[in-house]
Every structure is written in structure tokens, then in C-alpha cells.
Amino acid sequence: MEKITDLQGTFTLNNGVKMPYFGLGVYLSEDGQEVINAVKWALDEGYRHIDTASIYKNEEGVGQGIAESTVDRENVFVVSKVWNSDQGYEHTLRAFNDSLNRLGFDYLDLYLIHWPVAGKYKETWRALEHLYHQKKVRAIGVSNFMQHHLEDLLKDAEVVPMVNQMEFHPFLVQQDLIDFCNEKGIQYEAWSPMMQGRVFKMEEFKQLADKYGKSIAQIVLRWNLQKGVITIPKSSKKERIIANAAIFDFELATEDIALLDAMHKGKRFGPDPNDFDF
């Protein structure tokens, strides 16, 4: 695994693109001033990775926040995703252009298939490959793809996905899936690392926070990175955006990584990729 250094450190994707391993997620951030402020605060703090999606309905605000910041667009790694109702080859191409227009950009750094819609995700992937070959996007990937989805996709894919963004937290480690992605050169990425807030109520996390003199959120996010998993904690509060990033002055001991790994229960707090209806 590549070394974890600082807030602007990166993991190298399978096509050589360097992706910052820590970013700001903007799910549930309202379009307009709320998300604009969150993006600007994050970039001011040193974040260089912003993760949005068309279904979040805040791409315009994300683009405006970047435009109003002191950081040049080319120095920010911006991610968006194609939503389920937009999947299929032609629909995906249109959805991508719509996202670009809302963001005010002429390219994206990473574009993901948001969910594996049965009967459509292969054609959606073909559209992403086209966008990639046209250099409209620097990297392409998937989200919420289990191993069987990936195996099915790889049967016909010309390009191996660079990223798989999954629900990932101590109750849903899915080490077998991580290992499969690592074997195929697919970078694993976390969403919902805080178990929708449940980590803050658990004694095990309080004990680890006390041990390291850190917050529970900082313990969980550091665990993500030491697992080689990119993480994008979401917040629209300035103090939390700053605090979430203060994880580069300590390291979890091997036994504490193992302790968190051992909490795996196969428990989801979001939809099941094998049984969802959007």
C-alpha cells in the first residue's frame, strides 16, 4: 500500500491517475450557499477531492464553490455519478454532459456508475469507456458493485474500473471484496464510514478515542486510510470539516486495526446492492 502522508496525499489508480485518498462528500448538502460554503471551507483547509452525484442535486453549488475558492480547478479531484434512471448508453452520455454543464467544467476527474442496475450497467459502462477514451473524464469506476457484478462487468469491459465506492465501516468490512478489488487493481473507496452516526454511541470507539487522544470520527477515518480505502466523510459544518481532516499526526496500532476489522457483521445501513429499487 502507498504511504499515508497528509491531507493532499494520493493513491495511484490503475491508469496512473493520482486520486486524493481523503475528500469531502456532499451527500445531503443543500445546493446553494450550504454546499458552496462546505466546498470552500474544505479547499481552504487543504482538501483536494470533492465527491458529488447527479442525484444529490448540488452539482451547481459544488462547481460554484470550486470557482469561488482560491484553488484552481485542475488541482481539485472532482467526482460525480450517473443515476439509475439515466443508465444505458445514450442516456448516460447525456447525463454526463448535464453534470458537466451543472458543474461548469469541461471534464471530470472520476465518473462512477452509482448502482448496478440490472440489464443496464454494461451499456452504461460502455458509455463511460467512450467518455474515457474521449478524454472527457480522467478515470471511470463503479459504486455499490459486489464481486459478482464486477465479474460480470469485466467479461465484456475494455477498461477495468479504477474505483469501486462501497458502503464501508466496521460493521461492513467485506474483506473478501476488498481483496478481490485489490487483485483486479480496483481502488476501494468508502461511503457511510460513520455507520450513519452509530459509531458515536459505541463504547469500543470511545475507548479507542481516549487511547489515542482523538475523536471517534478521526479513529474511524484513520482506520479507513490504513486499510488502503479512500474515504469521503460528508459534512456541511466548518468545524467538522476541519476536524475530520486532523488524522495525519497519529497511526493506529496493528491490533487496533484488527479490533475494528473483527467488528464485521455484514450489517448494512444503506441499500443492499443485490436488492435495491430506485
Side-chain angles (χ1 to χ4, degrees):
M1 193 186 81
E2 294 172 83
K3 190 175 180 182
I4 300 164
T5 56
D6 55 45
L7 182 52
Q8 294 179 19
T10 60
F11 290 155
T12 304
L13 304 181
N14 64 29
N15 66 341
V17 167
K18 294 185 181 301
M19 180 175 179
Y21 45 56
F22 195 90
L24 175 72
V26 298
Y27 175 59
L28 297 182
S29 292
E30 283 190 19
D31 200 22
Q33 208 57 52
E34 182 173 280
V35 77
I36 290 168
N37 286 341
V39 168
K40 289 165 70 174
W41 290 330
L43 294 176
D44 284 347
E45 184 61 19
Y47 286 66
R48 292 296 180 266
H49 172 181
I50 308 294
D51 180 280
T52 186
S54 62
I55 196 63
Y56 300 171
K57 307 295 185 188
N58 58 18
E59 289 172 314
E60 288 184 0
V62 167
Q64 189 173 340
I66 293 170
E68 291 181 8
S69 78
T70 59
V71 181
D72 291 339
R73 159 68 187 102
E74 58 266 28
N75 294 324
V76 185
F77 194 97
V78 183
V79 185
S80 195
K81 312 173 192 77
V82 57
W83 185 241
N84 303 339
S85 57
D86 291 323
Q87 288 200 37
Y89 187 81
E90 295 294 342
H91 285 292
T92 296
L93 296 179
R94 284 196 291 272
F96 177 83
N97 285 329
D98 288 344
S99 285
L100 277 190
N101 289 335
R102 286 190 291 267
L103 286 158
F105 300 157
D106 55 10
Y107 73 97
L108 271 180
D109 296 278
L110 175 65
Y111 197 47
L112 304 177
I113 301 178
H114 211 146
W115 289 87
V117 176
K120 286 191 174 181
Y121 63 75
K122 284 195 174 187
E123 283 299 292
T124 303
W125 186 251
R126 196 164 65 85
L128 265 62
E129 289 179 327
H130 173 77
L131 293 166
Y132 178 65
H133 291 316
Q134 293 293 312
K135 301 189 184 304
K136 292 292 187 80
V137 59
R138 297 175 64 221
I140 52 176
V142 296
S143 182
N144 302 302
F145 273 54
M146 302 298 287
Q147 182 170 332
H148 69 92
H149 296 123
L150 290 168
E151 289 173 335
D152 184 46
L153 189 70
L154 290 170
K155 288 176 187 174
D156 303 300
E158 294 179 9
V159 179
V160 175
M162 287 101 196
V163 172
N164 187 16
Q165 186 183 116
M166 296 292 298
E167 181 177 353
F168 174 80
H169 45 68
F171 281 6
L172 191 68
V173 179
Q174 298 187 111
Q175 189 63 50
D176 287 349
L177 181 57
I178 294 174
D179 292 342
F180 177 82
C181 287
N182 287 341
E183 177 190 326
K184 298 297 182 181
I186 302 169
Q187 173 64 52
Y188 212 80
E189 181 177 6
W191 63 262
S192 198
M194 305 300 167
M195 304 191 329
Q196 295 185 1
R198 288 165 179 84
V199 294
F200 303 111
K201 302 171 184 174
M202 295 176 60
E203 186 59 36
E204 297 94 332
F205 292 103
K206 292 176 184 174
Q207 291 174 2
L208 282 176
D210 289 344
K211 175 180 176 178
Y212 288 93
K214 286 289 182 178
S215 71
I216 289 173
Q218 289 163 342
I219 294 294
V220 174
L221 295 171
R222 181 72 199 192
W223 171 69
N224 282 204
L225 296 188
Q226 287 186 231
K227 290 284 290 178
V229 175
I230 289 173
T231 192
I232 45 168
K234 62 183 176 65
S235 184
S236 57
K237 294 180 169 56
K238 184 176 184 178
E239 61 274 14
R240 192 169 297 163
I241 289 169
I242 293 170
N244 282 344
I247 60 172
F248 299 99
D249 57 353
F250 78 108
E251 186 171 320
L252 293 173
T254 303
E255 61 267 24
D256 292 327
I257 296 285
L259 174 71
L260 294 178
D261 286 357
M263 290 183 181
H264 173 74
K265 304 176 187 299
K267 171 68 175 172
R268 298 183 183 280
F269 298 102
D272 186 339
N274 292 320
D275 183 25
F276 68 95
D277 181 16
F278 291 135

